[in-house]
Amino acid sequence: MNFSYTETQTQIRSAVKALCDGFGPEYWRQCAQDGAYPEAFVDAMIEAGWLAALIPEAYGGSGLSLMDACTILEEVNRSGGNSASCHAQMYTMASILRHGSEAQKRKTLPRIADGSLRLQAFGVTEPDAGSNTLRIQTFARKVAGGYVINGQKIWTSRYSHSHMYLLIARTTPFEDLAKKTDGLSLFLVDIAKAGSSLKAKPIRTMINHHTFEVFIDKLEVSDDDRIGEEGKGFYYLLDSLHSERLLVASEAIGDGKWFVDKASRYAGERVVFDRPIGANQGVQFPIARAHMNIEAAELMRNKAVTLFDAGLPCGREATMVKYLASEAAWEAAEAALSTFGGYGMACEFDIERKWKEARLFRTAPISNNLVLAQVAEHLLGMPRSY
């Protein structure tokens, strides 16, 4: 077993860190204060080719491994940034790459790679379905040459900064299916072309996340806009979810390392009652525990990504590492906030901003309670709990 990172991954870390150094804490603080999309940062990431990491060279990308991509996003968050602003550009295109027609690939992937086309919006979740994707109600009715889609999505992030909308909809009523995982289809929608058939309403959130509720009214799409076979969209969705969970876990690992570094340095510098606060076990032990859990999550991430890159089954590992990494990052966030005390609440120290961002990953892209339920049932053979 080799626990070392490759020379390429070490070089990636250095290069991404250098880029991130040009977008220091003041930049991210201002974006959070103004509720602004980090356009300059995303443009820089595109220009450097980092967001095209997973696109094959034949389509204008870098053709890197998922482990390389995980390294990119981990380093962004480890540097104090927030790669959630652009991570979907990496994994959303996986459905096209794996299941799209050659015409769809040629039309979209080179433009995603060069930044002229942004595919960051992914319409899955609905207000009444939540995590139960099989019970979504958005419906694509078959007509000559295409479909007419009606429905509603929620938590569609970066919709206003995307040219294309990857949308999953039901094409067969749930009640008519013998196999309940069938009957969903995946569509690639041109937002500008859709016009008034798509209406988006921004959702104010506790973090600077740019997420929307999307209303779909008589949206007309062609057969050429469907990705893969009709009724197989759920299986295509799962392909994207494995990479999504591993990339998100990498962001959480990066966050955790940032918190531990900030907290441990501050604990050594801050003097109260004539001694550094880090000399107190009540301060140092939570930071040490968080560090160990992040290290463990990183090892689990590396195992899962190695399986993914080898083309081996990794769904269980990807789901578990999303849980482990997000919980470890949250533990580190809590330790950092406690270490900084009142200063942790002050925007100028950035702890409160990153604390809120880290909390998101315990809920999305899959609830950690749902992860526990899946592990209990599918890995441990316990009764279904939901």
Side-chain angles (χ1 to χ4, degrees):
M1 299 175 69
N2 185 358
F3 293 97
S4 300
Y5 289 104
T6 66
E7 182 179 350
T8 296
Q9 287 152 8
T10 300
Q11 292 171 348
I12 287 173
R13 287 190 189 278
S14 297
V16 173
K17 182 181 184 304
L19 185 152
C20 291
D21 286 345
F23 298 89
E26 298 84 4
Y27 174 82
W28 292 102
R29 205 176 300 146
Q30 194 65 51
C31 285
Q33 178 180 312
D34 298 342
Y37 183 72
E39 194 75 48
F41 172 76
V42 175
D43 286 344
M45 290 286 286
I46 292 172
E47 179 68 24
W50 297 125
L51 299 190
L54 295 174
I55 296 177
E57 293 182 21
Y59 300 105
S62 304
L64 298 178
S65 68
L66 185 62
M67 185 67 245
D68 297 331
C70 287
T71 302
I72 293 167
L73 297 190
E74 179 190 323
E75 195 59 40
V76 171
N77 284 39
R78 186 177 187 175
S79 298
N82 179 12
S83 53
S85 58
C86 54
H87 64 188
Q89 189 85 340
M90 279 189 174
Y91 64 76
T92 304
M93 62 84 201
S95 296
I96 302 173
L97 181 61
R98 288 173 175 249
H99 306 288
S101 67
E102 187 59 31
Q104 288 170 332
K105 294 175 186 179
R106 294 290 176 189
K107 183 178 180 180
T108 60
L109 294 181
R111 295 177 61 203
I112 293 173
D114 67 22
S116 60
L117 181 71
R118 290 190 183 176
L119 175 59
Q120 300 201 70
F122 201 174
V124 180
T125 309
E126 298 185 3
D128 296 326
S131 298
N132 189 0
T133 303
L134 297 180
R135 297 311 298 260
I136 63 171
Q137 297 180 31
T138 296
F139 196 85
R141 178 172 56 86
K142 190 72 180 77
V143 296
Y147 300 80
V148 176
I149 306 176
N150 289 279
Q152 182 180 352
K153 298 292 182 179
I154 197 168
W155 309 122
T156 298
S157 299
R158 271 79 58 189
Y159 178 88
S160 62
H161 297 278
S162 188
H163 299 109
M164 305 295 289
Y165 188 26
L166 192 62
L167 177 67
I168 192 163
R170 182 158 293 289
T171 42
T172 302
F174 183 81
E175 296 75 17
D176 295 346
L177 293 165
K179 188 176 182 181
K180 299 305 183 183
T181 49
D182 288 340
L184 297 174
S185 299
L186 202 57
F187 300 92
L188 186 61
V189 180
D190 185 318
I191 293 175
K193 184 179 176 181
S196 60
S197 293
L198 291 176
K199 294 182 180 178
K201 176 183 177 183
I203 302 171
R204 291 188 64 189
T205 61
M206 65 182 281
I207 59 175
N208 188 29
H209 201 61
H210 305 95
T211 194
F212 293 80
E213 190 170 12
V214 180
F215 301 89
I216 307 160
D217 182 32
K218 299 176 183 176
L219 171 65
E220 297 181 4
V221 297
S222 71
D223 288 331
D224 291 338
D225 295 324
R226 190 189 69 234
I227 295 175
E229 296 181 48
E230 180 178 297
K232 301 301 181 183
F234 182 73
Y235 307 105
Y236 304 157
L237 178 65
L238 291 180
D239 274 349
S240 295
L241 293 185
H242 294 338
S243 56
E244 177 192 33
R245 288 170 187 175
L246 291 168
L247 290 167
V248 164
S250 299
E251 294 174 57
I253 289 167
D255 282 339
K257 292 180 178 181
W258 184 88
F259 284 120
V260 166
D261 180 62
K262 295 281 284 189
S264 57
R265 283 194 288 115
Y266 185 78
E269 298 167 356
R270 174 70 166 162
V271 175
V272 179
F273 298 117
D274 302 321
R275 58 185 283 172
I277 60 173
N280 300 306
Q281 294 177 353
V283 173
Q284 67 176 227
F285 281 13
I287 301 172
R289 277 195 298 268
H291 170 72
M292 289 187 287
N293 286 331
I294 292 160
E295 290 283 303
E298 183 176 6
L299 286 173
M300 183 67 177
R301 187 274 311 271
N302 292 356
K303 173 187 176 182
V305 177
T306 299
L307 292 172
F308 184 98
D309 283 333
L312 298 173
C314 67
R316 294 177 175 184
E317 290 81 3
T319 300
M320 287 191 290
V321 77
K322 183 271 169 188
Y323 176 95
L324 295 171
S326 61
E327 290 293 332
W330 179 245
E331 181 182 17
E334 286 280 86
L337 191 63
S338 296
T339 301
F340 274 76
Y343 290 113
M345 302 292 180
C347 294
E348 66 180 286
F349 287 86
D350 300 300
I351 301 295
E352 56 83 32
R353 172 177 61 86
K354 295 288 287 180
W355 180 85
K356 290 185 290 187
E357 291 170 1
R359 180 59 181 82
L360 170 65
F361 291 144
R362 297 179 76 209
T363 301
I366 180 175
S367 164
N368 280 0
N369 281 339
L370 189 54
V371 173
L372 292 173
Q374 290 182 356
V375 169
E377 179 186 356
H378 298 296
L379 271 70
L380 304 179
M382 300 170 70
R384 185 182 179 97
S385 64
Y386 63 95

